[in-house]
Amino acid sequence: MVSRQQTGPLVGPEGGTVANAQAEDRTPAEGATPAGKSTPAERVTPVEGKAPVPPPGKQRGRPRSFDRETALEKAILAFWEHGYEGTSVSDLTRVMGIGAPSLYAAFGDKRSLFEEVVRAYGTRYGSFAERALAEEPTARGAVGRTLREAAVEYTDPDHPHGCLVIHAATNCTSPEVERSLRDRRNANLAAIESRIRAGMAAGELPADTDAAALARYAGAMIQGMSQQARDGASREELEALADLAMAIWPSS
């Protein structure tokens, strides 16, 4: 009698099927991927909208191929000359000599770069007022020195004329940028007023001096000198203006 052909899996002595045992014994060919496991390339495939994760032990991206401080200085000059709104990302990459990906990687977006520019400008070019207020023995000497050094700094032929903090927000559509620069200008006024009040306390100014108004007067002179420098006023013309401004300074 012919026996019926078995159609199900053959059962081995340990209870497992022969087919399963044979499958477990088979070794994948060299270079093949075991079933159910991903390749290294599959494991680093990026999710849409996210940066790919590099394999362990490898650096992300290439080493920076430009000098960051040199690029920052060029960004300062660009924003100083054209303002925040008038300086585009393509303008920045052109003058800085880097591509947009390098700009974003090193400095963040345009606004982040501008915030760093303003801080660097304050250290490299705008610190003359802070030094004068700290170093001069009298309020009159401090404000007078500030105005004279503004005349020199604002007309220096080696960089754009005027003050970046005063002019960079012209025609700006970013309220955050406008507010940041306004806060800096108001902080400068507050520093001048504080120095004037110290002079009053020392007896070098009359006790009834309006410190806030006198500080605002000095601030208006500084801002006006900045604009006139951009309009072509010379160092000598602004120095004469500084001397005239100090002629009305109150005395004790």
Side-chain angles (χ1 to χ4, degrees), residues 3-227:
S3 62
R4 292 172 56 192
Q5 184 176 3
Q6 184 170 357
T7 57
L10 299 179
V11 178
E14 300 295 329
T17 64
V18 174
N20 288 343
Q22 291 173 343
E24 291 169 355
D25 289 341
R26 285 197 297 268
T27 301
E30 184 177 356
T33 303
K37 295 187 178 181
S38 60
T39 66
E42 291 171 338
R43 287 196 295 271
V44 298
T45 301
V47 177
E48 184 177 358
K50 295 185 178 181
V53 179
K58 291 189 176 181
Q59 278 191 326
R60 176 179 296 183
R62 294 177 297 175
R64 187 178 295 155
S65 60
F66 66 93
D67 183 82
R68 193 180 188 280
E69 287 303 305
T70 299
L72 179 61
E73 178 68 16
K74 292 177 179 178
I76 292 173
L77 299 179
F79 281 122
W80 195 349
E81 179 68 31
H82 303 291
Y84 180 80
E85 197 70 28
T87 307
S88 66
V89 172
S90 60
D91 293 331
L92 291 167
T93 56
R94 175 176 51 81
V95 300
M96 296 167 76
I98 60 177
S102 295
L103 186 151
Y104 291 127
F107 300 101
D109 59 13
K110 176 183 170 181
R111 182 179 164 192
S112 297
L113 170 59
F114 182 71
E115 290 172 353
E116 184 171 350
V117 158
V118 172
R119 291 193 298 271
Y121 169 86
T123 300
R124 300 179 188 184
Y125 300 101
S127 60
F128 60 88
E130 182 179 355
R131 290 195 304 270
L133 294 175
E135 295 172 2
E136 291 297 318
T138 66
R140 177 187 176 89
V143 173
R145 174 178 161 183
T146 296
L147 294 178
R148 289 190 300 273
E149 292 193 6
V152 175
E153 189 65 46
Y154 293 167
T155 59
D156 190 330
D158 291 336
H159 56 63
H161 288 177
C163 172
L164 182 150
V165 175
I166 294 173
H167 297 288
T170 302
N171 299 322
C172 182
T173 60
S174 170
E176 295 81 8
V177 171
E178 286 186 324
R179 182 170 56 252
S180 174
L181 295 178
R182 182 170 60 250
D183 289 346
R184 284 182 174 271
R185 293 192 295 269
N186 287 335
N188 292 338
L189 286 179
I192 295 173
E193 181 178 346
S194 177
R195 187 65 187 84
I196 291 171
R197 291 191 183 280
M200 293 172 62
E204 64 168 279
L205 288 165
D208 61 350
T209 299
D210 188 336
L214 191 57
R216 193 164 293 279
Y217 165 75
M221 294 302 303
I222 293 169
Q223 293 178 17
M225 291 169 70
S226 177
Q227 182 58 56

